[in-house]
Amino acid sequence: MAKIIPFKAVRPTRDKVSLVAARSYQTYTQEERESRMGYNPFSFLHIINPGYRYQKDISGKDRYTLVRNRYSEFKEDAIFIQDKTPSYYVYKIVNREGHAFSGIIAAASSEDYEKDIIKKHEDTIEYRENVFKDYLKTVGFNAEPVLLTYPNNTVIANIISDVQKDRAEFEFTTTYRDTHYLWKLDDLELINTIGNEFEKIGTLYIADGHHRSASSYLLSKDLQSENDTHTGNEPYNFFMSYLIPESDLRIHEFNRLVKDLNGLTKEAFLIQLDTMYRIENRGNELYKPSGKHHFSMYLDGEFYSLYLRKSNHKFSNALEALDTHILYKTILDPILGISDVRNDTRIDYSYGKNDLVAIKSKVDHGEFKVGFGLVPITVEEMKAIANAGLTMPPKSTFIEPKLRSGVTIYEF
């Protein structure tokens, strides 16, 4: 039974939300960050990059304290105002391609994370977990929801649809041409109905935000140990999440680029590939793989299709049948010598619907020697990995939707 509760969000005022909302900090280059902060005093980037005011890079505990200070200033200046009643927040994103994502922003239970009611499919790095936990502990808020997905539910879907018939409290379009909408849902009867429906759902899946989930769980354990009157209902026992039905989730592939052939000539490399793959030269055609266990490869000015010889490769679990794992086990590790796909500097990752053009360009310009194209992983594969307690290789999925930071903030 999943425990999903309403909360009193801290939100920008309607007139400033489009100015406040920001992408994840890591997605900006330094030049982009400085440009946006220079021209927009309301950007959430001013909060999470507080050293900008002093033209100085600040890290660690000092940065965390300044983040908290900047956040307090935004509240003092009434840029942010906290809602007076616990609410769910119906949130809709329509991307530039016209695809709509609709779900509910709410607080999910750290205990559910511990009990594996909220399942993960991706490994986390302990150092990053603890760094972000310390950050959260100092700043006292979370401004970017974890993306959770759940099986399609007619009752929840109907409520979301009905709420969206009213005028949205927030409506703004980003420079990426994504349009965001938010409705506040504070009707007690509807809140109880939604909560009850989530209780009937046995499992939720983390689609995006594995480190944020893990850090929030660690924070809940820290604060619980420091609270002699702990009840389990304190805000630190929950973390902000955006819950969307599985049918709304969009998963894109992460393609691979490798800088060299591990000392092999092109001919020797192709001969080694031939053991595990049926290879067809596609020439200059921008060739995209068409199905599972099928890859495209760009090498020395030509595209190739690689079809796995299944007679030589048996699958005993969901992970072994995963294309990113197959590519690692049959090419990246044994032939190209890339055993640590997380940290090896010889490999890079890219995504996007026009990504084959980017792969071709990077190989043609000598940045990389070879590129591999994959088909996207499915929701069913992601769930099978999580249900089996397994984890995917890094950069196996690029998942939409991507939310903006600072639209709803969860305090604990």
Side-chain angles (χ1 to χ4, degrees):
M1 299 197 319
K3 187 175 184 179
I4 301 298
I5 66 170
F7 68 101
K8 300 177 184 178
V10 176
R11 300 187 286 126
T13 55
R14 187 200 295 265
D15 62 317
K16 293 185 177 64
V17 62
S18 63
L19 298 171
V20 171
R23 303 198 313 268
S24 294
Y25 181 82
Q26 295 86 353
T27 64
Y28 294 95
T29 65
Q30 182 176 346
E31 292 76 16
E32 286 176 324
R33 286 195 297 267
E34 291 183 353
S35 174
R36 289 174 186 271
M37 288 188 287
Y39 289 99
N40 180 5
F42 301 109
S43 173
F44 194 74
L45 292 172
H46 284 284
I47 293 176
I48 55 179
N49 189 27
Y52 176 80
R53 175 179 294 185
Y54 305 105
Q55 296 299 301
K56 181 180 179 181
D57 288 332
I58 302 172
S59 60
K61 184 73 173 180
D62 289 341
R63 174 175 171 262
Y64 306 163
T65 301
L66 288 176
V67 167
R68 185 183 63 201
N69 293 346
R70 294 293 88 75
Y71 175 64
S72 296
E73 291 170 4
F74 269 51
K75 291 179 71 177
E76 291 165 2
D77 293 341
I79 298 168
F80 284 140
I81 298 174
Q82 187 167 28
D83 288 326
K84 298 186 182 303
T85 57
S87 305
Y88 289 129
Y89 301 89
V90 172
Y91 202 94
K92 179 179 179 180
I93 304 172
V94 181
N95 68 16
R96 68 170 68 188
E97 297 168 343
H99 187 87
F101 309 90
S102 289
I104 294 173
I105 295 177
S109 168
S110 294
E111 185 179 12
D112 284 352
Y113 178 87
E114 181 179 30
K115 292 180 176 179
D116 207 32
I117 293 171
I118 296 175
K119 291 183 178 291
K120 57 182 181 289
H121 65 263
E122 183 179 292
D123 268 335
T124 52
I125 301 170
E126 185 177 1
Y127 170 76
R128 285 183 60 191
E129 291 177 6
N130 284 297
V131 166
F132 193 60
K133 178 203 71 174
D134 293 341
Y135 167 83
L136 292 174
K137 196 170 186 178
T138 301
V139 303
F141 68 85
N142 196 328
E144 186 176 353
V146 171
L147 182 63
L148 300 179
T149 189
Y150 59 90
N152 287 17
N153 180 289
T154 302
V155 174
I156 296 174
N158 287 339
I159 292 174
I160 289 174
S161 177
D162 288 343
V163 168
Q164 291 180 2
K165 293 175 183 177
D166 295 330
R167 181 194 179 195
E169 288 208 24
F170 291 163
E171 179 180 350
F172 63 95
T173 300
T174 70
T175 53
Y176 271 30
R177 299 181 183 178
D178 298 335
T179 302
H180 295 242
Y181 306 84
L182 178 143
W183 294 262
K184 181 184 175 186
L185 197 168
D186 57 4
D187 180 276
L188 190 57
E189 183 177 349
L190 293 179
I191 285 175
N192 289 334
T193 299
I194 291 171
N196 290 335
E197 289 301 312
F198 276 114
E199 283 187 3
K200 297 175 186 177
I201 295 173
T203 304
L204 303 174
Y205 296 86
I206 300 172
D208 193 19
H210 284 79
H211 281 93
R212 277 172 279 143
S213 304
S215 300
S216 296
Y217 166 69
L218 292 176
L219 176 67
S220 71
K221 289 300 181 185
D222 267 15
L223 296 180
Q224 176 180 338
S225 67
E226 297 170 8
N227 183 2
D228 293 335
T229 60
H230 171 81
T231 66
N233 296 318
E234 295 86 356
Y236 60 71
N237 294 295
F238 301 86
F239 56 94
M240 184 168 64
S241 300
Y242 180 43
L243 298 106
I244 67 170
E246 292 172 4
S247 59
D248 273 14
L249 202 65
R250 299 193 77 188
I251 303 179
H252 303 274
E253 70 276 15
F254 260 113
N255 297 317
R256 273 73 170 136
L257 289 152
V258 181
K259 291 185 177 180
D260 59 68
L261 297 182
N262 197 29
L264 298 171
T265 64
K266 171 185 172 181
E267 292 73 20
F269 175 60
L270 289 172
I271 289 171
Q272 290 207 32
L273 283 183
D274 195 78
T275 301
M276 294 299 296
Y277 291 91
R278 179 162 59 87
I279 306 170
E280 295 181 17
N281 189 317
R282 302 286 180 164
N284 293 323
E285 175 189 356
L286 283 171
Y287 185 75
K288 187 176 178 65
S290 58
K292 293 297 177 186
H293 318 326
H294 172 204
F295 307 94
S296 67
M297 180 176 73
Y298 185 68
L299 172 67
D300 195 26
E302 294 178 307
F303 280 93
Y304 296 81
S305 61
L306 307 179
Y307 294 89
L308 182 70
R309 298 184 188 276
K310 296 180 183 178
S311 59
N312 293 340
H313 201 91
K314 305 298 181 183
F315 309 129
S316 61
N317 59 47
L319 177 61
E320 290 184 0
L322 200 68
D323 282 351
T324 51
H325 185 77
I326 291 169
L327 190 69
Y328 170 72
K329 283 293 187 179
T330 60
I331 300 177
L332 298 180
D333 185 17
I335 300 178
L336 296 178
I338 298 174
S339 58
D340 184 356
V341 289
R342 189 179 296 276
N343 298 308
D344 197 314
T345 58
R346 295 169 54 225
I347 189 170
D348 201 4
Y349 305 89
S350 59
Y351 65 89
K353 68 176 184 178
N354 298 317
D355 197 47
L356 288 179
V357 175
I359 288 176
K360 181 179 186 302
S361 176
K362 289 178 179 180
V363 172
D364 287 344
H365 284 86
E367 297 176 55
F368 296 90
K369 186 67 177 178
V370 61
F372 299 96
L374 295 83
V375 297
I377 286 168
T378 65
V379 173
E380 289 71 25
E381 286 179 300
M382 182 188 79
K383 290 171 62 177
I385 294 287
N387 289 339
L390 302 169
T391 54
M392 296 181 185
K395 302 295 185 184
S396 288
T397 58
F398 179 84
I399 295 180
E400 289 187 293
K402 299 293 185 186
L403 273 73
R404 295 283 163 138
S405 296
V407 179
T408 57
I409 296 173
Y410 180 78
E411 293 186 342
F412 38 79

